Amino acid sequence: MSQQPEKKRGLFGRLFGGGTTDDAAQPLAAPSEPELPLKAVSEAAASPLPDMPAEPLPALETLAPAPEAVEASPKQGWFQRLKTGLAKTSAKLSEGITSVFTKRKLDDDTLDELEDLLIQSDLGLETTERITSTLRKTRYDKTIAPDEVRQVLADEVERVLQPVAVPLVISGQHRPEVILFVGVNGTGKTTTIGKLAARFRSEGRSVLLAAGDTFRAAAIEQLTVWGERTGTPVISREVGSDAAGLAFDAMAQARRDNVDVLMIDTAGRLQNKKVLMEELEKVVRVLKKSDIAAPHQVLLVLDATTGQNALSQVEVFQQVAGVTGLVMTKLDGTARGGILVAISAKFKLPVVALGVGERIEDLQPFDAHEFARAIAQV
């Protein structure tokens, strides 16, 4: 039997340029306001607007009842949508594995080619080493079928992801439970908040939303629309208002109305890290004046199409806001979902949910087994 050679020196030295950087997706446009009838417009124009004090946020009991619980999609339907979302990454991996391992023995050259393929798919150095090490130990100098390699890929990816597959739980120890959402503009923070509001309302929880991205009118309008859709009150201020002051007011409102969950949106402008840090630190500092433990959860929303950029986003927001969990959105056919594996291996942060579409039920708890199967096409 052939002896297994020692692992080649400089295994990853040539691979530092493997990833590419995509621009973050643009923010979603808020739905337009419905047009008033012509008569109503004329009457409004003819009447001067009186000076009126701002109305307080209505008490929860005056709001629309909680929406019906969303009927869960069949498990197979969700898995198929996940496979579709990971199609770009999984197709590249599957085709590359077939090309490398068809009628070939596992040797140093095939392992080198596999390493290149895994790195270029954003799986990261650590996971790549785990996969190639497993193959080297078990199948070196033997013929190996592409399906066997895919199975090893799925198994190793699941081992990396299983410890971080942690569902989002409202403990009930805090009232309100304050969840702060952070992330770059355009990642889907506001939409994620709206979908979670629908979920919490369907569970019978009272919810308050705070439009803390006070720099963008579109973000405020979009969250307001989600509030209307889900029967959830939204506290907001004029564009340019102090975000920390809004957070303080939202906390006070949530306590007055005995709200179960307060979810706070925030601005995300990574092009100016100093300003971002100051804004988020101020929001956190103000929340702690009301509750030393707040925010109780800090969820970073990542766009799956951004690839390697997501690693730097996790690092920056972790330093600024103390991220406690991740949500990955926009897992459509253009996604580069392999980056979630690299992030999980490096940061070990809980992954609480994945978004694969626009519907409320398209945001689901993260399942490591299904994700690994989808990305490896097994």
Side-chain angles (χ1 to χ4, degrees):
M1 178 181 295
S2 300
Q3 296 295 319
Q4 296 181 13
E6 294 184 3
K7 203 167 190 310
K8 297 168 65 178
R9 187 175 64 84
L11 184 61
F12 299 110
R14 55 190 168 76
L15 298 175
F16 284 104
T20 58
T21 301
D22 298 333
D23 291 330
Q26 296 299 315
L28 298 172
S32 59
E33 295 289 337
E35 295 183 1
L36 292 171
L38 184 59
K39 181 179 178 182
V41 173
S42 300
E43 292 176 353
S47 304
L49 292 174
D51 294 330
M52 298 182 66
E55 294 184 4
L57 195 68
L60 287 177
E61 50 268 18
T62 67
L63 296 165
E68 295 293 327
V70 177
E71 191 172 316
S73 301
K75 195 69 170 178
Q76 184 63 21
W78 163 255
F79 181 62
Q80 288 300 326
R81 291 199 300 279
L82 180 59
K83 287 180 67 175
T84 300
L86 290 169
K88 181 176 180 179
T89 298
S90 62
K92 179 179 180 179
L93 279 168
S94 183
E95 292 168 6
I97 288 171
T98 299
S99 174
V100 171
F101 288 96
T102 300
K103 297 180 179 179
R104 291 179 64 181
K105 287 186 176 181
L106 185 70
D107 55 20
D108 288 341
D109 290 337
T110 54
L111 283 173
D112 284 346
E113 292 179 53
L114 179 61
E115 287 166 4
D116 285 336
L117 176 63
L118 297 176
I119 291 293
Q120 290 166 11
S121 298
D122 294 324
L123 292 180
L125 298 175
E126 183 176 333
T127 304
T128 293
E129 187 173 32
R130 291 180 65 151
I131 293 168
T132 55
S133 177
T134 297
L135 289 171
R136 183 182 291 275
K137 290 176 182 177
T138 60
R139 301 307 301 270
Y140 193 85
D141 203 28
K142 298 177 183 177
T143 301
I144 184 169
D147 284 346
E148 295 177 89
V149 179
R150 293 189 191 96
Q151 188 60 57
V152 171
L153 169 62
D155 292 343
E156 293 302 329
V157 167
E158 184 173 352
R159 286 191 181 95
V160 172
L161 296 178
Q162 195 62 57
V164 302
V166 181
L168 179 62
V169 175
I170 304 302
S171 66
Q173 296 178 355
H174 309 281
R175 197 176 183 94
E177 177 103 4
V178 181
I179 307 177
L180 187 68
F181 288 79
V182 299
V184 178
N185 287 341
T187 57
K189 292 193 303 295
T190 307
T191 300
T192 298
I193 293 171
K195 291 177 179 179
L196 287 175
R199 169 190 152 184
F200 294 146
R201 293 280 281 163
S202 72
E203 294 172 350
R205 303 181 190 277
S206 55
V207 182
L208 176 63
L209 307 181
D213 186 354
T214 57
F215 291 90
R216 296 188 303 129
I220 298 171
E221 293 167 4
Q222 188 183 4
L223 194 64
T224 301
V225 170
W226 271 107
E228 294 169 352
R229 287 182 62 185
T230 61
T232 307
V234 179
I235 182 169
S236 63
R237 297 288 182 265
E238 293 181 353
V239 175
S241 298
D242 178 48
L246 174 65
F248 183 85
D249 291 344
M251 189 72 162
Q253 182 72 48
R255 283 184 162 170
R256 283 196 300 269
D257 288 338
N258 202 26
V259 167
D260 294 320
V261 183
L262 169 61
M263 293 191 285
I264 304 174
D265 196 4
T266 62
R269 300 182 298 164
L270 267 185
Q271 65 268 27
N272 190 333
K273 295 179 183 179
K274 185 175 184 296
V275 172
L276 172 67
M277 181 177 294
E278 291 173 349
E279 289 169 355
L280 280 179
E281 286 180 340
K282 186 178 179 182
V283 169
V284 172
R285 189 165 60 247
V286 165
L287 288 172
K288 288 186 180 300
K289 289 182 178 179
S290 295
D291 181 349
I292 191 61
H296 308 109
Q297 302 192 52
V298 180
L299 299 184
L300 171 60
V301 182
L302 297 169
D303 180 343
T305 66
T306 58
Q308 291 291 320
N309 270 343
L311 281 166
S312 62
Q313 290 173 24
V314 175
E315 187 169 1
V316 169
F317 282 101
Q318 175 76 323
Q319 293 172 354
V320 173
V323 175
T324 63
L326 305 175
V327 177
M328 179 159 278
T329 65
K330 302 185 182 180
L331 276 166
D332 55 31
T334 63
R336 299 173 59 189
I339 194 63
L340 183 59
V341 183
I343 290 171
S344 298
K346 181 175 181 179
F347 296 100
K348 310 292 192 298
L349 286 168
V351 181
V352 301
L354 293 182
V356 298
E358 295 301 319
R359 298 180 300 176
I360 289 174
E361 62 268 32
D362 286 338
L363 184 71
Q364 292 284 332
F366 178 61
D367 187 312
H369 178 68
E370 287 192 346
F371 189 94
R373 287 172 58 210
I375 205 168
Q377 289 193 350
V378 298

